[in-house]
Amino acid sequence: MTSSDNRPPLLELTDIAVHFGGVKAVDGVSISLDQGRIYGIMGSNGSGKSTLLGAITRLNPLTRGQMRFDGEDFTKVRPHQVAHLGVARTFQTVRLIDDRTVRDNVQLGVDTALRSRRRELMSSVDEVMERVGVTAVQRMRPSELSYGMQRRVEIARAIVSRPRLLLLDEPTAGMNTDERDEVSELMRTLQQEGLTQLLVEHDVQMMVDVCDYLFGMNQGELIAQGEPEAVVADEAVRESYLGKQAKDA
Ligand SMILES: Nc1ncnc2c1ncn2[C@@H]1O[C@H](COP(=O)(O)OP(=O)(O)O)[C@@H](O)[C@H]1O
Ligand SMILES: [Mg+2]
């Protein structure tokens, strides 16, 4: 489905770097994401995963590098244009507005879309809440919900704008196994609708189960990429990530 058709990659990053003073959080990453696939980034804490997602959405200014999105130059777009062009993300730490209801928080995702699309998107708020399982709590405040439910609200807010690329930063942190499986299932149905996804997640099993392709990062650099089973078994990845995790456990 990917290289057989002649579509350009949906997202192409070339030599991306994000430095914070002397900290080379991301340093020389080149990756390419094809339309409609689910990608994952593995790497120990501090390896630059969240910063790379922030580079794509322009939360983190680029130190160097080029990006193309859907065949167009994406290097100089402004942060607010990122959402208009169809890139949405969820954050590693929950970012919901607590004096607003769940429903209001989901609707905020509509506001990130172009004005001309908002009326149409408003009509899909109920459907999106139903899909991610937050309909029953729509009148509640985020702080009244479990952490797992708060994460669902974030996912709803991200997909209500009907993005073409969804970046998910540890979306299942704080969830139990059943809730995690539900997120995997949701990701698969979104994939069937053509949504390209880039997932950062510590659960190796989930990464292997849900992703079509994995990237391994260490100290801001890409150290491996390929089929999930191969990347998980890769020596450098095991050394930097799995070994470390085993040591931490
Ligand atoms: N805003 C920032 N200012 C300074 N250093 C940062 C900032 N954000 C991230 N870093 C540093 O960049 C490195 C990569 O962080 P991060 O991208 O959050 O890693 P990961 O998501 O893989 O755990 C870390 O050393 C972190 O301390
Ligand atoms: Mg992170």
Side-chain angles (χ1 to χ4, degrees):
M1 73 181 261
T2 52
S3 47
S4 53
D5 57 25
N6 289 322
R7 273 173 123 157
L10 181 65
L11 181 72
E12 212 170 359
L13 309 184
T14 307
D15 192 31
I16 294 301
V18 177
H19 297 175
F20 299 107
V23 178
K24 297 179 175 178
V26 172
D27 200 36
V29 170
S30 299
I31 66 175
S32 177
L33 307 186
D34 284 330
Q35 178 83 42
R37 304 190 88 201
I38 301 180
Y39 295 86
I41 309 176
M42 290 179 68
S44 57
N45 284 333
S47 58
K49 306 179 299 295
S50 294
T51 304
L52 184 63
L53 298 192
I56 296 169
T57 60
R58 296 319 146 77
L59 192 70
N60 300 129
L62 301 182
T63 303
R64 65 166 197 272
Q66 282 91 44
M67 296 192 194
R68 295 184 76 76
F69 183 71
D70 199 20
E72 305 278 330
D73 191 5
F74 192 71
T75 313
K76 297 211 166 64
V77 300
R78 319 270 303 171
H80 71 275
Q81 295 173 309
V82 169
H84 292 172
L85 290 168
V87 180
R89 84 174 280 187
T90 66
F91 289 91
Q92 184 171 348
T93 47
V94 169
R95 295 192 184 187
L96 295 169
I97 299 177
D98 209 52
D99 58 4
R100 307 280 286 275
T101 63
V102 163
R103 188 190 183 86
D104 286 346
N105 272 278
V106 174
Q107 281 180 358
L108 286 174
V110 173
D111 295 336
T112 66
L114 278 177
R115 201 170 291 275
S116 58
R117 294 185 62 219
R118 289 185 197 161
R119 188 204 291 261
E120 170 209 338
L121 294 175
M122 257 329 186
S123 67
S124 62
V125 167
D126 288 306
E127 179 200 317
V128 169
M129 287 196 301
E130 190 67 39
R131 268 188 103 162
V132 304
V134 300
T135 304
V137 299
Q138 61 176 297
R139 301 283 163 218
M140 292 172 74
R141 314 269 150 177
S143 63
E144 299 176 275
L145 305 179
S146 70
Y147 197 62
M149 286 300 273
Q150 293 181 29
R151 306 231 66 136
R152 287 170 193 242
V153 177
E154 292 212 304
I155 294 172
R157 184 180 54 187
I159 64 175
V160 78
S161 62
R162 294 202 197 131
R164 301 189 53 202
L165 173 63
L166 178 61
L167 312 174
L168 296 150
D169 199 351
E170 301 191 24
T172 70
M175 288 188 178
N176 64 34
T177 314
D178 286 347
E179 291 174 316
R180 208 170 267 201
D181 288 346
E182 284 172 32
V183 172
S184 300
E185 190 55 39
L186 176 65
M187 289 180 70
R188 287 195 199 95
T189 56
L190 292 168
Q191 178 179 34
Q192 281 159 17
E193 292 161 20
L195 181 62
T196 309
Q197 295 162 79
L198 179 56
L199 170 69
V200 171
E201 175 59 56
H202 279 296
D203 186 317
V204 175
Q205 192 58 52
M206 179 180 174
M207 289 293 247
V208 171
D209 288 347
V210 85
C211 295
D212 300 305
Y213 195 91
L214 290 185
F215 298 103
M217 279 186 80
N218 189 40
Q219 297 187 350
E221 295 178 12
L222 207 63
I223 56 167
Q225 62 177 300
E227 297 292 322
E229 287 81 2
V231 171
V232 168
D234 182 275
E235 191 127 356
V237 172
R238 295 189 77 85
E239 173 69 20
S240 74
Y241 177 66
L242 302 170
K244 196 165 183 165
Q245 209 179 37
K247 258 184 255 154
D248 292 347

